[in-house]
Short mmCIF file of all heavy atoms in Angstrom, two decimals:
data_model
loop_
_atom_site.label_atom_id
_atom_site.label_comp_id
_atom_site.label_asym_id
_atom_site.label_seq_id
_atom_site.Cartn_x
_atom_site.Cartn_y
_atom_site.Cartn_z
N PRO A 250 60.93 128.66 93.77
CA PRO A 250 60.91 127.99 95.08
C PRO A 250 60.91 126.47 94.94
O PRO A 250 60.00 125.90 94.34
CB PRO A 250 59.62 128.50 95.73
CG PRO A 250 59.34 129.79 95.04
CD PRO A 250 59.81 129.62 93.62
N VAL A 251 61.94 125.86 95.46
CA VAL A 251 62.07 124.41 95.47
C VAL A 251 62.28 124.00 96.93
O VAL A 251 63.27 124.40 97.54
CB VAL A 251 63.24 123.92 94.60
CG1 VAL A 251 63.35 122.41 94.65
CG2 VAL A 251 63.07 124.42 93.17
N PRO A 252 61.36 123.24 97.50
CA PRO A 252 61.49 122.89 98.93
C PRO A 252 62.81 122.17 99.24
O PRO A 252 63.43 122.42 100.27
CB PRO A 252 60.28 121.99 99.18
CG PRO A 252 59.30 122.36 98.12
CD PRO A 252 60.12 122.73 96.93
N GLU A 253 63.21 121.27 98.34
CA GLU A 253 64.44 120.53 98.60
C GLU A 253 65.65 121.46 98.61
O GLU A 253 66.57 121.31 99.42
CB GLU A 253 64.65 119.44 97.54
CG GLU A 253 63.64 118.30 97.61
CD GLU A 253 62.33 118.66 96.94
OE1 GLU A 253 62.24 119.78 96.37
OE2 GLU A 253 61.39 117.85 96.99
N LEU A 254 65.67 122.43 97.71
CA LEU A 254 66.79 123.36 97.64
C LEU A 254 66.82 124.27 98.86
O LEU A 254 67.89 124.59 99.39
CB LEU A 254 66.70 124.18 96.35
CG LEU A 254 67.96 124.93 95.92
CD1 LEU A 254 69.12 123.96 95.74
CD2 LEU A 254 67.70 125.69 94.63
N GLN A 255 65.65 124.69 99.31
CA GLN A 255 65.60 125.54 100.51
C GLN A 255 66.06 124.76 101.74
O GLN A 255 66.78 125.28 102.59
CB GLN A 255 64.18 126.07 100.72
CG GLN A 255 64.08 127.07 101.87
CD GLN A 255 62.70 127.66 101.99
OE1 GLN A 255 61.77 127.24 101.28
NE2 GLN A 255 62.53 128.63 102.87
N LEU A 256 65.65 123.48 101.84
CA LEU A 256 66.10 122.65 102.94
C LEU A 256 67.61 122.45 102.90
O LEU A 256 68.29 122.50 103.94
CB LEU A 256 65.39 121.30 102.89
CG LEU A 256 65.80 120.27 103.96
CD1 LEU A 256 65.49 120.80 105.35
CD2 LEU A 256 65.11 118.95 103.71
N ALA A 257 68.15 122.24 101.69
CA ALA A 257 69.59 122.10 101.56
C ALA A 257 70.32 123.36 101.98
O ALA A 257 71.37 123.31 102.64
CB ALA A 257 69.95 121.73 100.12
N SER A 258 69.76 124.52 101.66
CA SER A 258 70.39 125.78 102.05
C SER A 258 70.39 125.95 103.56
O SER A 258 71.38 126.41 104.15
CB SER A 258 69.65 126.95 101.39
OG SER A 258 70.27 128.18 101.71
N GLN A 259 69.29 125.55 104.21
CA GLN A 259 69.25 125.64 105.67
C GLN A 259 70.28 124.72 106.31
O GLN A 259 70.98 125.11 107.26
CB GLN A 259 67.84 125.27 106.15
CG GLN A 259 66.77 126.30 105.78
CD GLN A 259 65.39 125.84 106.20
OE1 GLN A 259 65.18 124.68 106.53
NE2 GLN A 259 64.42 126.76 106.16
N VAL A 260 70.38 123.50 105.81
CA VAL A 260 71.34 122.55 106.37
C VAL A 260 72.77 123.02 106.14
O VAL A 260 73.63 122.93 107.04
CB VAL A 260 71.11 121.15 105.76
CG1 VAL A 260 72.21 120.18 106.20
CG2 VAL A 260 69.74 120.60 106.16
N LEU A 261 73.04 123.53 104.96
CA LEU A 261 74.41 123.96 104.65
C LEU A 261 74.81 125.19 105.46
O LEU A 261 76.00 125.35 105.78
CB LEU A 261 74.53 124.25 103.15
CG LEU A 261 74.50 123.02 102.24
CD1 LEU A 261 74.64 123.44 100.78
CD2 LEU A 261 75.60 122.04 102.60
N HIS A 262 73.87 126.04 105.77
CA HIS A 262 74.22 127.18 106.62
C HIS A 262 74.65 126.73 108.01
O HIS A 262 75.56 127.34 108.61
CB HIS A 262 73.03 128.15 106.73
CG HIS A 262 73.02 129.20 105.68
ND1 HIS A 262 72.52 128.98 104.42
CD2 HIS A 262 73.47 130.49 105.68
CE1 HIS A 262 72.65 130.07 103.69
NE2 HIS A 262 73.21 131.02 104.43
N VAL A 263 74.03 125.67 108.50
CA VAL A 263 74.47 125.12 109.79
C VAL A 263 75.80 124.38 109.64
O VAL A 263 76.70 124.52 110.48
CB VAL A 263 73.38 124.18 110.36
CG1 VAL A 263 73.86 123.53 111.66
CG2 VAL A 263 72.10 124.96 110.61
N LEU A 264 75.93 123.60 108.57
CA LEU A 264 77.18 122.89 108.33
C LEU A 264 78.33 123.85 108.10
O LEU A 264 79.50 123.52 108.38
CB LEU A 264 77.01 121.95 107.13
CG LEU A 264 78.17 121.02 106.81
CD1 LEU A 264 78.46 120.08 107.98
CD2 LEU A 264 77.89 120.20 105.55
N PHE A 265 78.01 125.04 107.60
CA PHE A 265 79.03 126.06 107.36
C PHE A 265 79.77 126.41 108.64
O PHE A 265 80.96 126.72 108.61
CB PHE A 265 78.36 127.30 106.76
CG PHE A 265 79.32 128.34 106.25
CD1 PHE A 265 79.91 128.20 105.02
CD2 PHE A 265 79.64 129.46 107.02
CE1 PHE A 265 80.79 129.16 104.54
CE2 PHE A 265 80.51 130.41 106.56
CZ PHE A 265 81.10 130.26 105.31
N LEU A 266 79.08 126.33 109.78
CA LEU A 266 79.71 126.65 111.05
C LEU A 266 80.76 125.61 111.46
O LEU A 266 81.67 125.92 112.23
CB LEU A 266 78.65 126.74 112.16
CG LEU A 266 77.41 127.58 111.84
CD1 LEU A 266 76.45 127.58 113.02
CD2 LEU A 266 77.79 129.02 111.48
N PHE A 267 80.63 124.39 110.94
CA PHE A 267 81.52 123.30 111.32
C PHE A 267 82.64 123.07 110.31
O PHE A 267 83.38 122.10 110.43
CB PHE A 267 80.71 122.00 111.51
CG PHE A 267 79.72 122.06 112.62
CD1 PHE A 267 78.40 122.42 112.37
CD2 PHE A 267 80.10 121.79 113.92
CE1 PHE A 267 77.48 122.47 113.40
CE2 PHE A 267 79.19 121.84 114.96
CZ PHE A 267 77.87 122.18 114.70
N LEU A 268 82.74 123.96 109.33
CA LEU A 268 83.82 123.81 108.36
C LEU A 268 85.20 123.86 109.01
O LEU A 268 86.09 123.06 108.64
CB LEU A 268 83.71 124.89 107.28
CG LEU A 268 82.76 124.59 106.11
CD1 LEU A 268 82.76 125.74 105.12
CD2 LEU A 268 83.15 123.30 105.41
N PRO A 269 85.46 124.74 109.98
CA PRO A 269 86.79 124.70 110.63
C PRO A 269 87.09 123.36 111.29
O PRO A 269 88.24 122.89 111.26
CB PRO A 269 86.70 125.83 111.67
CG PRO A 269 85.69 126.77 111.12
CD PRO A 269 84.67 125.90 110.43
N LEU A 270 86.06 122.73 111.87
CA LEU A 270 86.27 121.42 112.47
C LEU A 270 86.59 120.37 111.41
O LEU A 270 87.49 119.53 111.60
CB LEU A 270 85.04 121.01 113.27
CG LEU A 270 85.09 119.63 113.94
CD1 LEU A 270 86.22 119.57 114.96
CD2 LEU A 270 83.76 119.29 114.58
N LEU A 271 85.88 120.42 110.27
CA LEU A 271 86.14 119.47 109.19
C LEU A 271 87.53 119.69 108.60
O LEU A 271 88.22 118.72 108.24
CB LEU A 271 85.07 119.60 108.11
CG LEU A 271 83.63 119.30 108.53
CD1 LEU A 271 82.68 119.51 107.36
CD2 LEU A 271 83.51 117.90 109.08
N TRP A 272 87.95 120.94 108.50
CA TRP A 272 89.31 121.21 108.01
C TRP A 272 90.36 120.70 108.99
O TRP A 272 91.38 120.14 108.60
CB TRP A 272 89.49 122.71 107.78
CG TRP A 272 88.73 123.24 106.60
CD1 TRP A 272 88.45 122.57 105.45
CD2 TRP A 272 88.16 124.54 106.47
NE1 TRP A 272 87.73 123.38 104.62
CE2 TRP A 272 87.54 124.59 105.20
CE3 TRP A 272 88.09 125.67 107.29
CZ2 TRP A 272 86.88 125.72 104.73
CZ3 TRP A 272 87.43 126.80 106.84
CH2 TRP A 272 86.83 126.82 105.55
N ALA A 273 90.10 120.92 110.28
CA ALA A 273 91.07 120.49 111.29
C ALA A 273 91.18 118.97 111.35
O ALA A 273 92.27 118.42 111.56
CB ALA A 273 90.69 121.06 112.65
N LEU A 274 90.06 118.26 111.17
CA LEU A 274 90.09 116.81 111.22
C LEU A 274 90.57 116.19 109.92
O LEU A 274 90.80 114.98 109.86
CB LEU A 274 88.68 116.27 111.55
CG LEU A 274 88.15 116.62 112.93
CD1 LEU A 274 86.75 116.07 113.11
CD2 LEU A 274 89.07 116.08 114.02
N GLY A 275 90.70 116.98 108.87
CA GLY A 275 91.22 116.46 107.60
C GLY A 275 90.22 115.63 106.84
O GLY A 275 90.62 114.72 106.09
N ILE A 276 88.94 115.90 106.97
CA ILE A 276 87.92 115.13 106.27
C ILE A 276 87.74 115.63 104.84
O ILE A 276 87.53 114.84 103.91
CB ILE A 276 86.59 115.18 107.05
CG1 ILE A 276 86.77 114.54 108.42
CG2 ILE A 276 85.47 114.49 106.28
CD1 ILE A 276 85.54 114.62 109.29
N LEU A 277 87.84 116.94 104.66
CA LEU A 277 87.66 117.52 103.32
C LEU A 277 88.98 117.45 102.56
O LEU A 277 90.01 117.91 103.04
CB LEU A 277 87.19 118.97 103.44
CG LEU A 277 85.86 119.16 104.17
CD1 LEU A 277 85.51 120.63 104.25
CD2 LEU A 277 84.75 118.39 103.49
N PRO A 278 88.97 116.88 101.36
CA PRO A 278 90.23 116.67 100.63
C PRO A 278 90.76 117.96 100.03
O PRO A 278 90.01 118.91 99.77
CB PRO A 278 89.81 115.68 99.53
CG PRO A 278 88.37 115.96 99.29
CD PRO A 278 87.79 116.35 100.63
N PRO A 279 92.07 118.02 99.79
CA PRO A 279 92.64 119.14 99.05
C PRO A 279 92.19 119.10 97.59
O PRO A 279 91.60 118.12 97.13
CB PRO A 279 94.15 118.94 99.19
CG PRO A 279 94.31 117.48 99.48
CD PRO A 279 93.09 117.07 100.24
N LEU A 280 92.49 120.15 96.87
CA LEU A 280 91.95 120.30 95.52
C LEU A 280 92.41 119.18 94.59
O LEU A 280 91.61 118.63 93.82
CB LEU A 280 92.35 121.66 94.94
CG LEU A 280 91.71 122.88 95.57
CD1 LEU A 280 92.13 124.14 94.83
CD2 LEU A 280 90.20 122.76 95.57
N ASP A 281 93.69 118.83 94.62
CA ASP A 281 94.18 117.81 93.69
C ASP A 281 93.55 116.46 93.99
O ASP A 281 93.12 115.74 93.07
CB ASP A 281 95.70 117.72 93.75
CG ASP A 281 96.23 117.67 95.18
OD1 ASP A 281 95.41 117.75 96.11
OD2 ASP A 281 97.45 117.55 95.36
N ALA A 282 93.48 116.09 95.27
CA ALA A 282 92.84 114.82 95.62
C ALA A 282 91.36 114.84 95.30
O ALA A 282 90.78 113.84 94.86
CB ALA A 282 93.07 114.51 97.09
N LEU A 283 90.70 115.98 95.53
CA LEU A 283 89.26 116.09 95.24
C LEU A 283 88.99 115.92 93.75
O LEU A 283 88.03 115.23 93.35
CB LEU A 283 88.74 117.45 95.72
CG LEU A 283 87.27 117.75 95.45
CD1 LEU A 283 86.37 116.77 96.21
CD2 LEU A 283 86.93 119.19 95.83
N LEU A 284 89.83 116.53 92.93
CA LEU A 284 89.64 116.42 91.48
C LEU A 284 89.84 114.98 91.01
O LEU A 284 89.01 114.44 90.26
CB LEU A 284 90.62 117.36 90.77
CG LEU A 284 90.59 117.35 89.25
CD1 LEU A 284 89.23 117.82 88.74
CD2 LEU A 284 91.70 118.22 88.68
N LEU A 285 90.91 114.34 91.45
CA LEU A 285 91.17 112.97 91.02
C LEU A 285 90.11 112.01 91.56
O LEU A 285 89.65 111.11 90.84
CB LEU A 285 92.56 112.54 91.50
CG LEU A 285 93.75 113.29 90.90
CD1 LEU A 285 95.04 112.86 91.56
CD2 LEU A 285 93.82 113.08 89.40
N TRP A 286 89.72 112.20 92.82
CA TRP A 286 88.68 111.33 93.40
C TRP A 286 87.35 111.52 92.69
O TRP A 286 86.64 110.55 92.40
CB TRP A 286 88.55 111.63 94.89
CG TRP A 286 87.38 110.95 95.54
CD1 TRP A 286 87.33 109.67 95.97
CD2 TRP A 286 86.10 111.54 95.82
NE1 TRP A 286 86.09 109.40 96.52
CE2 TRP A 286 85.32 110.53 96.44
CE3 TRP A 286 85.55 112.79 95.63
CZ2 TRP A 286 84.00 110.76 96.86
CZ3 TRP A 286 84.25 113.03 96.05
CH2 TRP A 286 83.49 112.02 96.65
#
Side-chain angles (χ1 to χ4, degrees):
V251 179
E253 292 81 3
L254 196 58
Q255 186 175 6
L256 177 62
S258 182
Q259 292 176 346
V260 173
L261 289 180
H262 270 82
V263 177
L264 186 61
F265 190 80
L266 312 180
F267 296 94
L268 276 180
L270 179 62
L271 298 179
W272 289 328
L274 295 178
I276 298 177
L277 300 179
L280 291 184
D281 47 357
L283 178 64
L284 178 63
L285 295 175
W286 171 81

